[in-house]
Amino acid sequence: MTETIQAPQISPAGFDLTPPSRADRAGLEGGLSREEKEVLLHHGTEAPFCGGLLDNKEDGVYCCRLCGLPLFRAKTKFESGTGWPSFFAPFDETHVRAVRDDSYGMIRIETRCARCDSHQGHVFPDGPSPTRLRYCINSVSLQFVANGQPLPDPLGRGDRIA
């Protein structure tokens, strides 16, 4: 089966949201650890209070671990006490997709990367002002980039500096 070439889908922040090709996706997935695969590809959850980015206080951007798309800015991170990094707003509303999740006998809103569809975590309506949202995200789903450093660009799309 041949893949059709799609016109780039550009976010308001200027990032290409076009999903990776099958070949590109296979290359991205090949570099993941077992834990990263479990969370990003199979919608798992890392243990609370264990993630490497939970206590990060540096200024910068949190990007998707799989495709490198910027998902959250450090200035929107807050201490929620839940055991996972929490943010009150995405980098760009179009970079994070919301999907109904009715697993485990409850209704939640799962958050996924809008470019590669990898699982990031969930969003809840109990966050701080101004949004009152809490994006509860797995550390293993993210890659932190300090201000002034190049963003990860594993798809070669020319993503900019944080």
Side-chain angles (χ1 to χ4, degrees):
M1 181 175 185
T2 305
E3 289 189 66
T4 57
I5 308 257
Q6 299 180 19
Q9 304 167 27
I10 306 300
S11 75
F15 290 85
D16 185 348
L17 301 180
T18 308
S21 68
R22 265 183 279 190
D24 285 342
R25 181 154 183 110
L28 296 174
E29 291 177 6
L32 297 176
S33 70
R34 184 179 339 178
E35 182 183 22
E36 289 167 339
K37 285 179 183 177
E38 176 58 30
V39 173
L40 289 161
L41 308 179
H42 304 294
H43 309 272
T45 301
E46 67 188 359
F49 301 102
C50 293
L53 296 173
L54 180 62
D55 296 320
N56 184 32
K57 306 279 191 243
E58 289 184 72
D59 198 15
V61 177
Y62 292 85
C63 299
C64 174
R65 166 61 184 90
L66 188 60
C67 76
L69 183 68
L71 300 178
F72 300 97
R73 295 181 192 277
K75 67 183 179 184
T76 66
K77 188 173 187 254
F78 69 98
E79 177 52 55
S80 66
T82 62
W84 293 276
S86 296
F87 305 86
F88 62 79
F91 181 93
D92 179 309
E93 294 284 335
T94 64
H95 289 202
V96 178
R97 272 190 344 114
V99 177
R100 180 186 165 107
D101 175 4
D102 56 9
S103 62
Y104 302 107
M106 60 182 122
I107 297 173
R108 300 178 292 173
I109 303 299
E110 177 188 7
T111 57
R112 296 185 190 173
C113 173
R115 179 158 59 192
C116 69
D117 202 39
S118 63
H119 173 72
Q120 298 294 316
H122 291 85
V123 63
F124 301 95
D126 60 1
S129 294
T131 65
R132 300 279 184 219
L133 296 174
R134 174 174 52 94
Y135 290 83
C136 189
I137 308 297
N138 293 285
S139 285
V140 74
S141 295
L142 300 170
Q143 178 178 350
F144 178 75
V145 178
N147 275 351
Q149 297 300 308
L151 293 174
D153 190 14
L155 295 170
R157 297 195 177 171
D159 291 340
R160 307 183 300 262
I161 292 178

